[in-house]
Amino acid sequence: MTGKDEKDKIVEATQQTDTHTDVYHETEYVIPDSGVAIPTEAAVEDAKDWVDEENRK
């Protein structure tokens, strides 16, 4: 697989909008071989804030 083919797979994966089962609502890209979504930094921060808030209850 060439670098362009791999980049195309990453771009296609980032255009997927079905994120209702994802832990993170925003992803930067998906690793093509494994399908693992890499979240944006903002999504990680939002998730951390949510967990912190839930733990205060």
Side-chain angles (χ1 to χ4, degrees):
M1 178 179 302
T2 67
K4 183 180 180 330
D5 292 336
E6 188 170 320
K7 183 177 180 184
D8 289 343
K9 277 189 172 184
I10 291 172
V11 170
E12 289 173 13
T14 60
Q15 294 172 349
Q16 294 176 352
T17 58
D18 183 20
T19 60
H20 70 277
T21 59
D22 293 347
V23 172
Y24 300 104
H25 60 93
E26 296 175 4
T27 58
E28 288 190 29
Y29 61 93
V30 175
I31 299 172
D33 294 337
S34 65
V36 173
I38 305 302
T40 63
E41 188 171 339
V44 172
E45 290 171 359
D46 289 345
K48 182 188 179 312
D49 291 344
W50 182 86
V51 168
D52 290 346
E53 186 61 35
E54 289 297 309
N55 285 331
R56 286 188 197 111
K57 292 180 180 181

